[in-house]
Amino acid sequence: MDEEIVGLSSMATRPILAELSEWIGRVHGLPVRFVPAGGVEVARRVREGAAGDVLVLAEDALAALAAEGLVRAGTVRPLWVSQVVAAVPEGSPVPTLDTQEALRDALLTARRIAFSTGPSGAAVLYLIDRQGLAEALRDRLVQTPPGVPAGTLLASGEADLAFQQHSELMDLPGVRVVGPLPGDAGISTTFAGAVLTASARPGPARRVLDLLAADEAAETARARGMRAAAHRPTGR
């Protein structure tokens, strides 16, 4: 059997990549394994020289690593787009989030609001600030540690409203996904892939990346709460 291709990824793409890794190995004969962690942690590991072949991260975080020469030129490509959704504890009243006014009411009514680190967490904080609620909600905001889904605080009773990538909330026990945020309040993140400069097997790593961008992979992503990203040249 060929030597295993090792990938590094953020937690949001963990369920997709686990399923696709099995498919790539079974159907295409390429053994591949992804090691997930919080996006900030993954970027730190790459900068510190972590071994690996393929990297899947939020597009902005990956672009920063590309600018530092840590991924191979010409290999960066968008893969999937994920929406940030709101969630509440299973069995609790479900807020209506069809307008920005309804979202504002839900924020002001919540006792504790959980959000994650990484790009989705930063976007939620920006949204709250843009709505003029930063001061009113300051003592009610709870940020989870890197790699910990915000939904775990719903299940434990430590929060009654949470925001995070759909893929990280949709299968958690004790959690009910309410839906995406309305209108201009909507938050989405594009996840991209690239071959690491440190990869000793850039050829097979590129093939894995090609398969992650294939139509079959898009079906898996859709089932896991994401959609395929439109391919566009990156110039990197």
Side-chain angles (χ1 to χ4, degrees), residues 90-216:
E90 188 70 48
S92 66
V94 178
T96 300
L97 296 180
D98 54 352
T99 66
Q100 295 206 41
E101 291 75 18
L103 172 62
R104 182 183 177 90
D105 289 344
L107 287 165
L108 288 170
T109 303
R111 177 179 54 86
R112 299 283 275 175
I113 302 164
F115 66 103
S116 66
T117 56
S120 64
V124 168
L125 289 177
Y126 177 71
L127 170 64
I128 288 171
D129 184 62
R130 200 174 71 201
Q131 298 226 352
L133 299 177
E135 187 60 37
L137 300 179
R138 185 182 308 278
D139 295 334
R140 294 189 245 169
L141 297 174
V142 184
Q143 187 173 39
T144 59
V148 177
T152 59
L153 298 188
L154 298 176
S156 67
E158 297 173 72
D160 51 356
L161 183 64
F163 298 93
Q164 199 166 15
Q165 306 289 352
H166 190 193
S167 61
E168 295 188 80
L169 291 173
M170 62 187 295
D171 292 326
L172 284 179
V175 172
R176 176 166 180 175
V177 172
V178 178
L181 309 186
D184 292 343
I187 299 169
S188 64
T189 299
T190 298
F191 289 93
V195 176
L196 285 161
T197 303
S199 173
R201 306 184 67 222
R206 280 177 183 260
R207 188 172 174 219
V208 168
L209 196 58
D210 288 340
L211 291 168
L212 294 180
D215 289 343
E216 297 92 332

Side-chain angles (χ1 to χ4, degrees), residues 35-119:
V35 180
V40 174
E41 172 65 13
V42 171
R44 182 189 67 78
R45 292 178 187 177
V46 171
R47 290 187 171 100
E48 292 180 356
D53 300 293
V54 179
L55 179 65
V56 176
L57 276 183
E59 193 172 48
D60 289 350
L62 197 148
L65 295 172
E68 296 171 37
L70 295 170
V71 302
R72 290 180 180 259
T75 67
V76 178
R77 65 171 67 189
L79 294 173
W80 310 300
V81 179
S82 175
Q83 283 189 307
V84 169
V85 298
V88 296
E90 188 70 48
S92 66
V94 178
T96 300
L97 296 180
D98 54 352
T99 66
Q100 295 206 41
E101 291 75 18
L103 172 62
R104 182 183 177 90
D105 289 344
L107 287 165
L108 288 170
T109 303
R111 177 179 54 86
R112 299 283 275 175
I113 302 164
F115 66 103
S116 66
T117 56

